[in-house]
């Protein structure tokens, strides 16, 4: 399963990239606003921190406007992935860009039939928002399972990118279903490394080791 981080904070991205476990980055207009930096400049910096896909989202709502913005964004770096919303214009743009060899992440997906449309439009990634789905009384993980089933039925190559991840259980369930990618905020990814029994185990081993009076090397 690929791990993307959902942030435009370059310090967090650099820190997580240093683990060697980071496969890409996703951003959106809200995350760019939170970073408080120039969109093009911060996206260029992020593209230099990871070799995998870096999603940069268009803000135009019409196809022509999306194509114009995508043209600017794809010049930033080879690993830019253009993020478009799941609308008719967004999917028209997806079709045009992917036919031309550009990576596209279709975002704001809330139904399996929307995901089917994105696959038909040749999307590189589909981003179902599990957390926002749960927040609104739907079952986010059932959505992932439904998309997995449909994509496998027809051998679609579109990767399921589980987004709006809020906690480790989302990651666990997504991995059990066989989602291709998950994107999560830095704190959620850091939380995956931690377990109270790991900390307790280290503490016990170090206490016993100190009693031996030995050193390694
Ligand atoms: O980047 C898209 C998605 O991951 C947003 O998550 O937490 O704003 O619902 P959230």
């Amino acid at each position: 399963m690929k791990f993307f981080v959902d942030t435009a904070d370059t310090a967090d991205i650099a820190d997580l990239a240093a683990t060697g476990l980071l496969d890409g980055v996703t951003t959106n207009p809200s995350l760019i606003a939170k970073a408080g930096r120039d969109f093009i400049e911060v996206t260029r910096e992020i593209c230099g921190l990871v070799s995998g896909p870096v999603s940069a989202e268009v803000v135009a709502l019409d196809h022509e406007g999306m194509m114009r913005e995508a043209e600017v964004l794809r010049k930033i770096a080879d690993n830019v992935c253009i993020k478009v919303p799941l609308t008719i214009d967004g999917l028209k743009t997806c079709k045009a860009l992917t036919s031309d060899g550009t990576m596209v992440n279709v975002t704001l997906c809330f139904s399996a039939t929307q995901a089917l449309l994105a696959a038909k439009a040749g999307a590189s990634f589909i981003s179902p928002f599990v957390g926002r789905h749960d927040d609104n009384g739907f079952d986010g993980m059932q959505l992932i399972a439904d998309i997995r089933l449909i994509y496998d039925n027809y051998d679609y190559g579109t990767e399921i990118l589980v987004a709006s991840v809020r906690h480790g259980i989302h990651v666990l369930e997504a991995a059990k279903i066989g989602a291709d990618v998950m994107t999560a905020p830095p704190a959620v990814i850091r939380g995956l490394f931690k377990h109270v029994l790991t900390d307790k185990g280290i503490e016990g081993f170090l206490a016993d080791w100190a009693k031996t009076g030995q050193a390694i090397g």
Side-chain angles (χ1 to χ4, degrees):
M1 186 188 211
K2 293 176 199 166
F3 276 27
F4 291 180
V5 64
D6 199 28
T7 186
D9 183 317
T10 52
D12 270 329
I13 295 166
D15 184 53
L16 289 167
T19 65
L21 304 179
L22 194 62
D23 302 296
V25 177
T26 50
T27 68
N28 61 39
S30 304
L31 294 170
I32 296 295
K34 191 173 168 197
R37 293 186 52 190
D38 177 78
F39 182 26
I40 305 296
E41 182 194 291
V42 76
T43 304
R44 185 172 294 117
E45 193 176 326
I46 294 169
C47 287
L49 292 171
V50 294
S51 54
V54 175
S55 289
E57 190 160 343
V58 298
V59 290
L61 296 178
D62 63 300
H63 172 60
E64 290 72 24
M66 287 183 193
M67 289 300 290
R68 270 196 305 277
E69 292 178 356
E71 201 46 47
V72 174
L73 297 175
R74 68 178 172 180
K75 280 190 190 125
I76 295 174
D78 288 343
N79 55 334
V80 163
C81 176
I82 307 298
K83 207 173 180 186
V84 300
L86 209 155
T87 59
I88 290 180
D89 286 73
L91 293 188
K92 261 174 85 174
T93 305
C94 173
K95 182 85 185 162
L97 291 172
T98 53
S99 303
D100 202 22
T102 300
M103 278 187 291
V104 175
N105 176 0
V106 176
T107 190
L108 290 164
C109 170
F110 292 93
S111 80
T113 42
Q114 284 184 317
L116 175 58
L117 293 171
K120 284 176 69 63
S124 318
F125 301 99
I126 181 68
S127 290
F129 279 28
V130 292
R132 294 192 197 185
H133 217 64
D134 292 351
D135 292 345
N136 284 277
F138 300 99
D139 183 346
M141 278 304 147
Q142 187 57 51
L143 173 61
I144 303 302
D146 288 347
I147 298 171
R148 180 75 283 157
L149 177 71
I150 292 168
Y151 281 11
D152 288 350
N153 279 348
Y154 297 97
D155 275 337
Y156 284 123
T158 300
E159 294 188 52
I160 303 173
L161 196 174
V162 180
S164 189
V165 164
R166 300 279 162 75
H167 44 68
I169 303 295
H170 276 153
V171 180
L172 173 67
E173 294 300 324
K176 282 160 73 177
I177 291 167
D180 303 283
V181 193
M182 74 90 200
T183 189
V188 172
I189 296 181
R190 290 196 182 98
L192 298 174
F193 289 87
K194 297 189 78 63
H195 196 288
V196 65
L197 293 179
T198 305
D199 294 342
K200 203 175 161 199
I202 290 172
E203 205 183 299
F205 287 152
L206 290 186
D208 289 339
W209 178 250
K211 291 177 204 157
T212 71
Q214 298 180 55
I216 301 172

